[in-house]
Every structure is written in C-alpha cells, then in structure tokens.
C-alpha cells in the first residue's frame, strides 16, 4: 500500500486585520522528508503519525509539503494558489498511489475562494481519480459541508477541546483509509446541522459527557466507524458555519442519519450551557485577590492569538498596574519590538519600555513602563497536547512583583513552559492572567485552584448574535431563537 501525505493548515478570522501571507506560511513550512519524528509539531500531526507508521512497515509513504501558519486573518490568493499547486505537483509526481492522507485545519478562508479547502480537495480528487481513497483530518473548529464530503472518502475531526487527541485522530484517519483500500470498509457519511453557533469546551461537564458518549458509541456500535462533532470556527464568515454532527457508518446511510440526528438534538438541548461566563476586568481581579489560595487562572478569550487576534491588548495589564496588584503573572503579550529591545538590553537591565497596544483600536493603549528584564528565552516553545508549539523569542519583564511575558511570535497560552522558560514559576503566584479560550486547560488546569474568564476588550467578541456576519446562513441560534436542525448530507 502506497500513501501520499501532505498538510495545509491555518485558521482564518474574518474579523481581524492580520492577513496571512505566503511568507507567513513559508516560515512554518516543513519540506518533504523534513517532518520531525521525535515529537509532533503543531499543525504537522498527520505527517508525524504517517511517518511513524510507515517506519513500522505498515505502508510506503511519499511525503509532500506541510504548510502551516498561525491563526490570523484571511489567506492571500497568492499564498493559497502557490501552496495548492505545489502540493498538487508533489502528488502528481508520486502517482500511482492507493491513498492520500491530508492534515488540514478546515477553517481556512482565502480572499476570492470562499471554500478554499473544498477547492483543494476538488483538485486532489481531480488528480487521483475516483478510485483512490482520500482521508482528511480536520480541527474541530472547522467547516464540514457537502462539497468536502463528496471529494473526500472520510473526514475525521479532533474530539477534544483543548486539543489533546490530534495524533490519535490522525491515526484514526490512517486506519479508515487502510480499511477502505483493503475492502473492509465502505465509509458512508451523514451530516446533521444543529443550526447554532456556540463554544464547546470539552473540559466542561456538559461537553465532557457528550464526548464520552460519542466514544462509547464508536466502541459499541458495529455499524459506526467514526463520529465527529463539528464545533465550527465562529469567526469564519461563511454560509456553512454552524455546529454539526458527522457520522460515518460502514455502508449504512439510514443508521448514520438516525444517529447523527439523535446526537445533534442532544447538542441543541445544551444551548447556552456550554460556554463559561465572562467577568469584567475589575471583577476578575477582585475574585483573584479574594481567593483563599492561588494560583487562580484567569483567561481572556477576547484577545486569543489561537482565534486570530493580535494578542497585544493591554487593558487587563493596565488595570493590574494601576491597582498595584502584586504577585501576579500575565502573558503572552505579542510585541516583537519590545522583545528585541529587552534582549538587546540583557538580563537584569532596568529600562523604560513601551509595550503592547500596537495593531488596532482593540489593542488598547501602548503602556510606558519601567521594567527589569528578568528572563530571556530563544527558540521558546509550549506543549500543545503532545505537540510542540513555537513561541519564538520570549522575555519576562518585572513591573514590581508583576511579571509579564512577551513573545516575538503570536501565540496563546498553552502550558506553564510559557512562563517557566523565562524563570517565572506560576505555581507560586496569586493569579495568572492568560490570553486563551480553552487550550490552556490542558497545561494549567491541574495546577489552578480556580479558573475564571474575563472580558479583556480584545477583538474576538463572545456574543455571537452580535457579530456582523455577511454570509452565514440564517436562521441560527443565538441570533434566531427558533432555529432547528436538519440532515444536510
């Protein structure tokens, strides 16, 4: 069995002013054959899984390119066409193949190409023909529609948010592709649209039960081969944005439709109960200070780089300084200019430094602070599930007993390594303020005495009924209270 593997991976926010260029993708590009095998890299989990299994002798693997970019605004038309054409050229050169396995986010938006990943899958299908098996792994914050299901034989999404199962689900794709090539499986898709937009952290009670229920069905129902919940990426302004349930059965469409509808109705019944409430900035600070024991972890989802935000909003930091809050850590704040000045000044330097507040109106004020450079880390990284996510160059700055971590690469907070690499022990802090929505839970959840969420005034609005969608199909909840679900594939 001969398989071709490639990746095209980014998440696009249609409401931010940070376009994703070809140069951005080239900085994250892993050329054919160069994907590391000692540990998975963020965005390259499919390639990692494929290489590991090919090395074990399960199949012959031809590696294509792995293009990756951090979440930001829409991708340029040039970037998409260059990357698509390069991977397609690599695929043509690899023919004949029995199967194609692809790692994609599923939430990429391209200027001039509304359904870029659907277009990409159409190109791949056009190259290999109708008989070659195509398997795809998507992030659960993605779009799944009829076009993508028609071009791919099987699509599997992560189940966990925070994403701790990326390699596991990549292995699932490989298993299903192998079984389909071997004639043991005829995958048939059923897709139920819940007609709603919401946030579904699987670390919460409601969603934890639902994920365990999906897993139990996969194990107990012999007709079912895969179940995925499509959370959707709420800042994707596309007609197919919605929460959906994707079920694959072994040739039983009727059974798949029934199960997808049952699971979809369960999700609809949870409306309004899965997302955590947001505190005001001062209320969040008050709660942290009043806590009997720390660290209290306080997440700001409104300036989350993982959702495409700049991650340079200073409103929370400004209040911490104004209120002279002590023994608190804050990060990550994206400011490559300030990082460079701090590194050039050196460890222990006490300097005047302007930080944050650079990209947009939602970035807040640039803050002029007297700081001490207390930590420097080159080639910084964090654990993202089992994957390594780069944070570039990082510095820790002290403003009194408040420590701020700045990074040269836009990133959200995934794990305590963000702080420990620059000498900040968050376990000894009264509170830790993070820029993230829920991925921080895999790294910080176990050490947090309490977890709270704050509205930090960043660009990622959390009331989805007030987002100015231009293309999302109506009706949908919460904008339309009476919206109901339906089978759409």
């Amino acid at each position: 069995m001969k398989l071709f593997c490639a990746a095209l991976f980014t998440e696009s926010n249609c409401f931010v002013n940070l376009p994703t260029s070809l140069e951005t993708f080239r900085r994250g590009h892993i050329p054919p054959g160069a994907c590391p095998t000692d540990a998975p890299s963020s965005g390259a989990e499919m390639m990692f899984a494929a290489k590991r299994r090919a090395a074990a002798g399960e199949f012959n693997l031809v590696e294509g390119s792995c293009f990756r970019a951090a979440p930001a605004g829409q991708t340029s038309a040039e970037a998409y066409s260059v990357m698509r054409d390069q991977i397609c050229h690599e695929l043509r050169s690899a023919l004949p193949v029995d199967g194609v396995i692809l790692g994609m986010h599923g939430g990429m938006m391209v200027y001039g190409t509304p359904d870029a990943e659907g277009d990409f899958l159409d190109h791949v299908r056009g190259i290999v023909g109708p008989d070659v098996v195509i398997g795809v792994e998507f992030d659960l914050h993605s779009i799944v529609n009829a076009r993508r299901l028609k071009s791919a034989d099987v699509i599997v999404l992560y189940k966990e948010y925070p994403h701790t199962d990326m390699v596991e689900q990549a292995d699932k794709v490989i298993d299903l592709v192998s079984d389909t090539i071997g004639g043991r499986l005829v995958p048939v898709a059923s897709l139920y649209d819940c007609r709603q937009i919401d946030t579904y952290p699987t670390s919460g009670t409601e969603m934890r039960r639902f994920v365990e229920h999906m897993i139990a069905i996969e194990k107990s129902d012999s007709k079912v081969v895969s179940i995925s919940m499509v959370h959707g990426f709420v800042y994707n302004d596309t007609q197919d944005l919605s929460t959906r349930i994707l079920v694959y059965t072994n040739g039983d469409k009727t059974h798949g439709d029934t199960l997808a509808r049952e699971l979809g109705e369960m999700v609809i019944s949870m409306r309004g109960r899965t997302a955590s409430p947001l505190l005001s900035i001062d209320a969040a600070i008050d709660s942290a200070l009043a806590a009997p024991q720390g660290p209290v972890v306080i997440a700001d989802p409104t300036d989350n780089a993982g959702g495409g935000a700049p991650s340079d909003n200073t409103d929370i930091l400004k209040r911490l300084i104004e209120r002279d809050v002590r023994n608190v850590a804050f990060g990550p704040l994206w400011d490559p200019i300030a990082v460079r000045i701090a590194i050039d000044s050196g460890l222990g330097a006490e300097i005047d430094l302007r930080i944050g507040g650079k990209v947009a109106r939602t970035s807040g004020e640039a803050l002029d602070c007297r700081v001490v450079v207390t930590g420097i880390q080159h080639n910084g990284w964090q654990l993202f599930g089992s994957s390594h996510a780069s944070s570039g160059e990082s510095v820790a700055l002290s403003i009194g007993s408040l420590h701020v971590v700045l990074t040269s690469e836009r990133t959200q907070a995934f794990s305590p390594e963000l702080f420990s690499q620059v000498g900040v022990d968050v376990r000894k802090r009264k509170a830790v303020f993070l820029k993230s929505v829920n991925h921080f839970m895999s790294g910080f959840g176990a050490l947090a005495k309490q977890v709270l969420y704050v509205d930090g005034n960043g660009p990622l609005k959390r009331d989805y009924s007030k987002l100015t969608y231009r293309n999302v199909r109506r009706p949908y909840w919460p904008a339309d209270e009476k919206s109901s679900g339906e089978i759409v594939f």
Side-chain angles (χ1 to χ4, degrees):
M1 183 171 64
K2 181 181 176 184
L3 301 181
F4 173 84
C5 183
L8 179 55
F9 200 95
T10 195
E11 181 181 57
S12 302
N13 186 320
C14 297
F15 299 94
V16 297
N17 63 337
L18 290 170
T20 308
S21 66
L22 181 58
E23 178 57 32
T24 307
F25 277 101
R26 281 176 172 161
R27 287 197 297 269
H29 178 228
I30 303 175
C35 183
T37 56
D38 54 340
S41 297
S42 182
E45 289 82 9
M46 176 59 80
M47 188 71 74
F48 171 83
K51 289 189 71 169
R52 183 188 59 188
R53 295 179 63 166
E58 294 186 32
F59 47 81
N60 295 320
L61 178 67
V62 179
E63 297 176 50
S65 285
C66 176
F67 286 105
R68 307 169 299 161
Q74 294 191 64
T75 296
S76 72
E78 176 201 22
Y80 171 63
S81 63
V82 167
M83 294 183 295
R84 179 198 63 198
D85 293 348
Q86 180 168 331
I87 292 174
C88 287
H89 171 73
E90 293 164 351
L91 174 58
R92 288 190 187 93
S93 300
L95 295 177
V97 296
D98 300 296
V100 176
I101 45 178
L102 299 169
M104 294 194 288
H105 186 281
M108 178 171 69
M109 298 284 289
V110 174
Y111 289 110
T113 307
D115 184 6
E117 280 138 326
D119 175 80
F120 179 70
L121 286 170
D122 287 349
H123 275 74
V124 171
R125 178 58 72 191
I127 292 169
V128 301
D131 299 325
V132 171
V133 179
I134 299 174
V136 182
E137 180 182 36
F138 276 167
D139 189 299
L140 53 76
H141 294 117
S142 61
I143 301 299
V144 175
N145 58 21
R147 180 183 186 181
R148 299 179 185 194
L149 291 171
K150 288 175 182 177
S151 287
D153 292 277
V154 64
I155 298 174
V156 174
L157 280 65
Y158 321 147
K159 284 185 171 64
E160 301 290 350
Y161 179 41
H163 304 331
T164 56
D165 61 334
M166 295 175 284
V167 174
E168 176 186 343
Q169 300 307 331
D171 279 325
K172 178 85 170 183
V173 172
I174 295 171
D175 290 340
L176 297 181
V177 167
S178 299
D179 286 346
T180 304
I181 292 171
R184 299 177 294 277
L185 173 64
V186 180
V188 175
S190 296
L191 185 66
Y192 182 84
D193 189 347
C194 300
R195 300 308 311 141
Q196 66 188 53
I197 299 173
D198 209 347
T199 300
Y200 308 98
T202 61
S203 51
T205 302
E206 295 266 9
M207 283 305 303
R208 186 74 256 141
R209 284 199 294 258
F210 187 77
V211 170
E212 295 301 330
H213 183 56
M214 287 194 294
I215 293 171
I217 294 172
E218 286 181 334
K219 291 179 178 178
S220 63
D221 191 329
S222 60
K223 296 179 181 179
V224 175
V225 295
S226 175
I227 304 172
S228 299
M229 178 175 169
V230 186
H231 292 209
F233 181 51
V234 298
Y235 306 108
N236 253 174
D237 186 4
T238 173
Q239 65 176 356
D240 292 310
L241 171 61
S242 185
T243 305
R244 295 179 170 183
I245 299 293
L246 174 62
V247 173
Y248 279 95
T249 59
N250 191 358
D252 195 333
K253 173 68 171 169
T254 300
H255 185 62
D257 285 355
T258 299
L259 179 58
R261 182 180 297 277
E262 290 176 357
L263 293 172
E265 293 297 327
M266 288 180 65
V267 173
I268 290 173
S269 73
M270 293 187 284
R271 284 179 176 176
R273 302 206 311 268
T274 56
S276 300
L278 298 184
L279 300 172
S280 69
I281 293 174
D282 279 305
I285 295 173
D286 291 342
S287 295
L289 295 178
Q293 190 177 6
V296 178
V297 173
I298 303 174
D300 174 15
T302 71
D303 194 33
N304 169 35
S311 194
D312 71 338
N313 179 280
T314 59
D315 289 351
I316 295 173
L317 180 58
K318 180 182 178 184
R319 286 300 291 149
L320 290 169
I321 295 170
E322 289 172 345
R323 292 182 58 171
D324 192 25
V325 178
R326 300 172 184 272
N327 196 27
V328 167
F330 177 96
L333 190 75
W334 179 52
D335 193 334
I337 297 172
V339 168
R340 186 73 260 154
I341 293 171
I343 290 174
D344 290 345
S345 298
L347 276 175
E350 184 173 358
I351 58 174
D352 291 314
L353 191 63
R354 175 168 287 190
I355 58 178
K358 291 181 170 62
V359 173
R361 206 175 313 172
T362 53
S363 298
E365 299 177 20
L367 301 181
D368 293 299
C369 306
R370 187 71 175 175
V371 306
V372 176
V373 182
T374 60
I376 295 174
Q377 174 68 38
H378 301 282
N379 301 315
W381 57 272
Q382 302 178 70
L383 280 176
F384 179 20
S386 60
S387 303
H388 282 66
S390 172
S391 52
E393 294 183 314
S394 305
V395 297
L397 309 174
S398 71
I399 306 171
S401 66
L402 165 66
H403 276 85
V404 183
V405 173
L406 276 60
T407 61
S408 64
E409 291 187 19
R410 276 190 320 110
T411 183
Q412 64 180 297
F414 292 116
S415 68
E417 285 86 3
L418 173 73
F419 293 92
S420 62
Q421 287 181 357
V422 286
V424 179
D425 186 350
V426 295
R427 296 170 298 178
K428 298 179 180 179
R429 298 285 160 165
K430 180 69 172 179
V432 185
F433 286 80
L434 306 174
K435 291 180 182 289
S436 184
V437 176
N438 199 55
H439 285 319
F440 72 92
M441 283 296 294
S442 62
F444 290 88
L447 60 86
K449 296 299 186 288
Q450 187 180 5
V451 175
L452 302 171
Y453 295 83
V454 59
D455 184 352
N457 301 328
L460 306 188
K461 297 181 185 300
R462 306 304 292 172
D463 183 348
Y464 307 135
S465 67
K466 295 181 179 178
L467 286 173
T468 54
Y469 294 120
R470 296 181 180 180
N471 302 303
V472 174
R473 183 167 62 89
R474 303 287 292 266
Y476 70 88
W477 183 89
D480 306 291
E481 188 65 34
K482 296 183 179 180
S483 61
S484 57
E486 58 182 336
I487 291 287
V488 291
F489 187 85

